[in-house]
Amino acid sequence: MLNTQDILETIKMIREENLDIRTVTMGISLFDCITDDPSRLEEKIYDKITGSARRLVSVCEELERTYGIPIVNKRISVTPISYIGAGLSPEGFVRLARVLERAATELGVNFIGGYSAHVQKGCIKGAANLIESIPEALSETTRICSSINVATTKAGINMDAVKKMGEIIKKTAYLTRDNDSIGCAKLVVFANIPEDNPFMAGAVHGIGEPDTVINVGVSGPGVVAAAIKEAGQCDFSMLADTVKKIAFKITRVGQLIAAEAANRLGVPYGIVDLSLAPTPAKGDSVAEILENMGLERTGTHGTTAALALLNDAVKKGGVMASSHVGGLSGAFIPVSEDRGMINAAVCGTLTLEKLEAMTAVCSVGLDMIAIPGDTEASTISGIIADEISIGVVNNKTTAVRVIPVYGKEEGDIAQFGGLLGYAPIMPLKSESCAAFINRGGRIPAPIHSLRN
Amino acid sequence: MKAVVTVTGKDKVGIIAMASAECAKYGANIVDISQTVMKDYFAMIMLIELDGLTTDFASFSDKLQIAGTEAGVDIRVMHEDIFNTMHKI
């Protein structure tokens, strides 16, 4: 017989501490849809996606019932669209975006990721046209997520793309101005983008992936926060052990759901992503974990160290619990999606500079940060360049998802709704970096990229 | 297939009778049971065998939940594997 305490612990995690599976994401390759006839391409993509993921939502619902654990999101990631529609014009890409939206709506999935391009060293025509189409595509759709990889440790940073993305983010903000520039919440700029990430907005189905695959993202900051609270006044070794043990249990649930979903759908199981993903709900916050470790408020001195400990312990605990770990695998710190982060940002304890430092020790980057609507495109590019440099030099993934909220300024609150939450507009430096950004070209790869 | 049924809530007369009657009604065989009352709080865990279930898992789970709500307790039915994977290496 199972141990009564164990059973009650699991029930408590689910009922009181918001343990859930954040996402079951099906990756679908679209390479076999490629054709030079745009209408035929649209038709083939629609058929491939709706055919492959036909049972995704119903199987996930079945699993929720059987195992008694919520699966919050059912998602799809596809091969970066810039490869599939490499010959399309920007208007052609927008049409394709509508097709993707229609497929996602038909299937009932929450998001579809892969409106993406990899341009770390340069832009093929398809990638340039896709980037050009992003503002319109994101303003016309609700479920599509876009990601652009502008740098890798191997290739260095494509500063032309960084500059362009500053402009694209501004334009996207303007076109979605009626909804607090929500389009930008579905657009993320990456360094070292992973090819099997199940989380949005950065999910893509990489070119080395199988035809279809199931990747799962776990969650559970509330569970970790509760365990730390219960551990009380212990030293750091004990603290790290507490996190490891609980991360193991959380990840095991992810592994179970991933294996079972893959089995029932007849699709290979890819990876479990160990990231602790917060929500704006009470008791589902990464900031709360840090505060339970002994910080009066997230963002104060000691925050980076606390996050480093958390991130490392989560990986160490999770890695043994799953046969394949991948994606981003770390703690997320999206400001608007985490109640503790929101409070800390409102108080001014959590600043952009501190967030940048925090991203050096966790995944993923400057995430869901609302900034003034009148921010210059070059300033946004400067924010991107700084954050991307951290990823490139430290051989890790970093990303930027900032929202220059049209018509709002420092002190206002932007409302994104649902899991995307709300956020105070954070202040930026007023001095320009335009002359730096306008230089153009590439920042060379760091010396330690030469590993062979 | 085995499942774990947890019944929690304020203690009163007849909770075990109600839960086990519901299991019997749908052909679920109780193979293990443990129950405790802490202060006024009732907690029962049953391990049930579902091979002879006369309905599907989802509707069995729904029926138990409804019966629990009527009796003022919370009943959940979960596949045993979620506990096994989480707590056993």
Short mmCIF file of all heavy atoms in Angstrom, two decimals, chain A residues 38-66:
data_model
loop_
_atom_site.label_atom_id
_atom_site.label_comp_id
_atom_site.label_asym_id
_atom_site.label_seq_id
_atom_site.Cartn_x
_atom_site.Cartn_y
_atom_site.Cartn_z
N PRO A 38 1.95 29.19 -52.87
CA PRO A 38 1.52 29.70 -51.55
C PRO A 38 0.18 29.12 -51.06
O PRO A 38 0.06 28.80 -49.87
CB PRO A 38 1.43 31.21 -51.76
CG PRO A 38 2.36 31.50 -52.88
CD PRO A 38 2.29 30.30 -53.78
N SER A 39 -0.81 28.98 -51.94
CA SER A 39 -2.10 28.47 -51.46
C SER A 39 -1.99 27.02 -51.06
O SER A 39 -2.56 26.58 -50.06
CB SER A 39 -3.20 28.58 -52.51
OG SER A 39 -2.98 29.66 -53.32
N ARG A 40 -1.24 26.27 -51.86
CA ARG A 40 -1.04 24.85 -51.55
C ARG A 40 -0.26 24.71 -50.23
O ARG A 40 -0.53 23.84 -49.43
CB ARG A 40 -0.27 24.21 -52.72
CG ARG A 40 0.00 22.74 -52.59
CD ARG A 40 -1.20 21.89 -53.02
NE ARG A 40 -0.95 20.50 -52.70
CZ ARG A 40 -1.58 19.83 -51.74
NH1 ARG A 40 -2.53 20.39 -51.04
NH2 ARG A 40 -1.29 18.56 -51.50
N LEU A 41 0.70 25.60 -50.02
CA LEU A 41 1.50 25.60 -48.78
C LEU A 41 0.57 25.80 -47.57
O LEU A 41 0.65 25.07 -46.57
CB LEU A 41 2.54 26.72 -48.83
CG LEU A 41 3.42 26.88 -47.59
CD1 LEU A 41 4.36 25.71 -47.43
CD2 LEU A 41 4.24 28.18 -47.66
N GLU A 42 -0.31 26.79 -47.68
CA GLU A 42 -1.24 27.07 -46.58
C GLU A 42 -2.11 25.85 -46.28
O GLU A 42 -2.30 25.46 -45.13
CB GLU A 42 -2.14 28.27 -46.94
CG GLU A 42 -1.37 29.57 -46.97
CD GLU A 42 -2.14 30.72 -47.60
OE1 GLU A 42 -3.37 30.58 -47.78
OE2 GLU A 42 -1.51 31.74 -47.92
N GLU A 43 -2.60 25.24 -47.36
CA GLU A 43 -3.46 24.07 -47.23
C GLU A 43 -2.72 22.90 -46.55
O GLU A 43 -3.23 22.26 -45.63
CB GLU A 43 -3.84 23.66 -48.65
CG GLU A 43 -5.11 22.86 -48.80
CD GLU A 43 -5.36 22.67 -50.31
OE1 GLU A 43 -5.51 23.68 -51.03
OE2 GLU A 43 -5.36 21.51 -50.73
N LYS A 44 -1.48 22.67 -47.02
CA LYS A 44 -0.70 21.55 -46.48
C LYS A 44 -0.35 21.77 -45.01
O LYS A 44 -0.38 20.83 -44.20
CB LYS A 44 0.59 21.34 -47.31
CG LYS A 44 0.33 20.69 -48.65
CD LYS A 44 1.58 20.60 -49.48
CE LYS A 44 2.33 19.31 -49.19
NZ LYS A 44 3.45 19.10 -50.15
N ILE A 45 -0.02 23.00 -44.66
CA ILE A 45 0.32 23.30 -43.26
C ILE A 45 -0.90 23.09 -42.37
O ILE A 45 -0.81 22.47 -41.31
CB ILE A 45 0.87 24.75 -43.14
CG1 ILE A 45 2.30 24.79 -43.72
CG2 ILE A 45 0.87 25.22 -41.69
CD1 ILE A 45 2.94 26.16 -43.72
N TYR A 46 -2.04 23.59 -42.83
CA TYR A 46 -3.27 23.42 -42.04
C TYR A 46 -3.57 21.94 -41.84
O TYR A 46 -3.84 21.49 -40.71
CB TYR A 46 -4.44 24.12 -42.75
CG TYR A 46 -5.74 24.01 -41.98
CD1 TYR A 46 -6.03 24.91 -40.97
CD2 TYR A 46 -6.66 22.99 -42.26
CE1 TYR A 46 -7.21 24.81 -40.25
CE2 TYR A 46 -7.84 22.88 -41.54
CZ TYR A 46 -8.11 23.79 -40.53
OH TYR A 46 -9.27 23.69 -39.80
N ASP A 47 -3.46 21.19 -42.89
CA ASP A 47 -3.77 19.75 -42.79
C ASP A 47 -2.77 19.02 -41.91
O ASP A 47 -3.14 18.15 -41.12
CB ASP A 47 -3.76 19.11 -44.20
CG ASP A 47 -4.94 19.58 -45.03
OD1 ASP A 47 -5.87 20.18 -44.44
OD2 ASP A 47 -4.94 19.36 -46.26
N LYS A 48 -1.49 19.36 -42.04
CA LYS A 48 -0.48 18.67 -41.24
C LYS A 48 -0.70 18.94 -39.75
O LYS A 48 -0.67 18.02 -38.93
CB LYS A 48 0.93 19.13 -41.67
CG LYS A 48 2.08 18.56 -40.84
CD LYS A 48 2.45 17.14 -41.23
CE LYS A 48 3.44 16.48 -40.29
NZ LYS A 48 4.84 16.64 -40.67
N ILE A 49 -0.93 20.20 -39.40
CA ILE A 49 -1.09 20.55 -37.98
C ILE A 49 -2.37 19.94 -37.41
O ILE A 49 -2.34 19.28 -36.36
CB ILE A 49 -1.09 22.09 -37.79
CG1 ILE A 49 0.28 22.66 -38.14
CG2 ILE A 49 -1.45 22.46 -36.34
CD1 ILE A 49 0.34 24.18 -38.17
N THR A 50 -3.48 20.14 -38.11
CA THR A 50 -4.74 19.64 -37.56
C THR A 50 -4.77 18.11 -37.56
O THR A 50 -5.36 17.49 -36.68
CB THR A 50 -5.97 20.19 -38.33
OG1 THR A 50 -5.74 19.97 -39.72
CG2 THR A 50 -6.16 21.67 -38.09
N GLY A 51 -4.09 17.51 -38.53
CA GLY A 51 -4.02 16.04 -38.56
C GLY A 51 -3.16 15.49 -37.43
O GLY A 51 -3.57 14.59 -36.69
N SER A 52 -1.99 16.07 -37.22
CA SER A 52 -1.07 15.56 -36.21
C SER A 52 -1.58 15.77 -34.79
O SER A 52 -1.36 14.94 -33.91
CB SER A 52 0.29 16.25 -36.34
OG SER A 52 0.78 16.14 -37.64
N ALA A 53 -2.22 16.92 -34.55
CA ALA A 53 -2.59 17.27 -33.17
C ALA A 53 -4.09 17.09 -32.91
O ALA A 53 -4.62 17.61 -31.92
CB ALA A 53 -2.18 18.70 -32.88
N ARG A 54 -4.74 16.33 -33.77
CA ARG A 54 -6.19 16.16 -33.68
C ARG A 54 -6.63 15.75 -32.27
O ARG A 54 -7.61 16.24 -31.74
CB ARG A 54 -6.60 15.11 -34.72
CG ARG A 54 -8.07 14.91 -34.95
CD ARG A 54 -8.28 13.94 -36.12
NE ARG A 54 -7.36 12.82 -36.10
CZ ARG A 54 -7.56 11.69 -35.42
NH1 ARG A 54 -8.65 11.52 -34.73
NH2 ARG A 54 -6.65 10.72 -35.45
N ARG A 55 -5.86 14.83 -31.65
CA ARG A 55 -6.29 14.30 -30.37
C ARG A 55 -5.57 14.93 -29.18
O ARG A 55 -5.73 14.49 -28.04
CB ARG A 55 -6.09 12.77 -30.37
CG ARG A 55 -7.05 12.06 -31.34
CD ARG A 55 -6.74 10.58 -31.46
NE ARG A 55 -6.66 9.93 -30.16
CZ ARG A 55 -5.59 9.27 -29.69
NH1 ARG A 55 -4.51 9.18 -30.43
NH2 ARG A 55 -5.61 8.72 -28.51
N LEU A 56 -4.74 15.93 -29.43
CA LEU A 56 -3.90 16.48 -28.35
C LEU A 56 -4.73 16.96 -27.15
O LEU A 56 -4.48 16.57 -26.01
CB LEU A 56 -3.04 17.65 -28.90
CG LEU A 56 -2.18 18.37 -27.87
CD1 LEU A 56 -1.12 17.44 -27.30
CD2 LEU A 56 -1.51 19.61 -28.48
N VAL A 57 -5.72 17.80 -27.42
CA VAL A 57 -6.49 18.37 -26.32
C VAL A 57 -7.29 17.29 -25.59
O VAL A 57 -7.30 17.23 -24.36
CB VAL A 57 -7.40 19.51 -26.84
CG1 VAL A 57 -8.35 19.99 -25.75
CG2 VAL A 57 -6.54 20.68 -27.33
N SER A 58 -7.93 16.39 -26.34
CA SER A 58 -8.75 15.37 -25.68
C SER A 58 -7.90 14.41 -24.85
O SER A 58 -8.27 14.02 -23.75
CB SER A 58 -9.63 14.62 -26.69
OG SER A 58 -8.82 13.94 -27.60
N VAL A 59 -6.72 14.06 -25.35
CA VAL A 59 -5.84 13.17 -24.58
C VAL A 59 -5.37 13.87 -23.30
O VAL A 59 -5.33 13.27 -22.22
CB VAL A 59 -4.64 12.69 -25.43
CG1 VAL A 59 -3.52 12.13 -24.57
CG2 VAL A 59 -5.09 11.64 -26.43
N CYS A 60 -5.04 15.15 -23.41
CA CYS A 60 -4.60 15.88 -22.21
C CYS A 60 -5.73 15.94 -21.19
O CYS A 60 -5.51 15.80 -19.98
CB CYS A 60 -4.15 17.29 -22.58
SG CYS A 60 -2.56 17.30 -23.41
N GLU A 61 -6.95 16.16 -21.67
CA GLU A 61 -8.09 16.21 -20.75
C GLU A 61 -8.29 14.85 -20.06
O GLU A 61 -8.59 14.77 -18.87
CB GLU A 61 -9.35 16.66 -21.49
CG GLU A 61 -9.32 18.16 -21.75
CD GLU A 61 -10.39 18.64 -22.72
OE1 GLU A 61 -11.11 17.78 -23.29
OE2 GLU A 61 -10.49 19.87 -22.92
N GLU A 62 -8.11 13.79 -20.84
CA GLU A 62 -8.20 12.44 -20.31
C GLU A 62 -7.15 12.23 -19.19
O GLU A 62 -7.45 11.66 -18.14
CB GLU A 62 -7.85 11.51 -21.46
CG GLU A 62 -8.59 10.21 -21.59
CD GLU A 62 -8.12 9.58 -22.91
OE1 GLU A 62 -8.72 9.92 -23.94
OE2 GLU A 62 -7.16 8.78 -22.91
N LEU A 63 -5.94 12.70 -19.44
CA LEU A 63 -4.86 12.54 -18.46
C LEU A 63 -5.14 13.35 -17.19
O LEU A 63 -4.85 12.89 -16.08
CB LEU A 63 -3.52 12.97 -19.06
CG LEU A 63 -2.97 12.08 -20.17
CD1 LEU A 63 -1.73 12.69 -20.79
CD2 LEU A 63 -2.65 10.68 -19.65
N GLU A 64 -5.71 14.52 -17.37
CA GLU A 64 -6.06 15.34 -16.21
C GLU A 64 -7.03 14.58 -15.31
O GLU A 64 -6.89 14.57 -14.09
CB GLU A 64 -6.76 16.64 -16.65
CG GLU A 64 -5.86 17.66 -17.28
CD GLU A 64 -6.61 18.96 -17.61
OE1 GLU A 64 -7.33 18.99 -18.63
OE2 GLU A 64 -6.49 19.92 -16.86
N ARG A 65 -7.99 13.94 -15.94
CA ARG A 65 -9.00 13.20 -15.18
C ARG A 65 -8.39 11.99 -14.50
O ARG A 65 -8.64 11.72 -13.32
CB ARG A 65 -10.12 12.70 -16.11
CG ARG A 65 -10.89 13.80 -16.81
CD ARG A 65 -11.66 14.64 -15.83
NE ARG A 65 -12.64 13.85 -15.09
CZ ARG A 65 -13.88 13.66 -15.48
NH1 ARG A 65 -14.30 14.24 -16.58
NH2 ARG A 65 -14.71 12.93 -14.78
N THR A 66 -7.58 11.25 -15.23
CA THR A 66 -7.04 10.00 -14.70
C THR A 66 -6.09 10.25 -13.54
O THR A 66 -6.14 9.56 -12.52
CB THR A 66 -6.30 9.24 -15.82
OG1 THR A 66 -7.21 9.08 -16.91
CG2 THR A 66 -5.84 7.88 -15.35
#
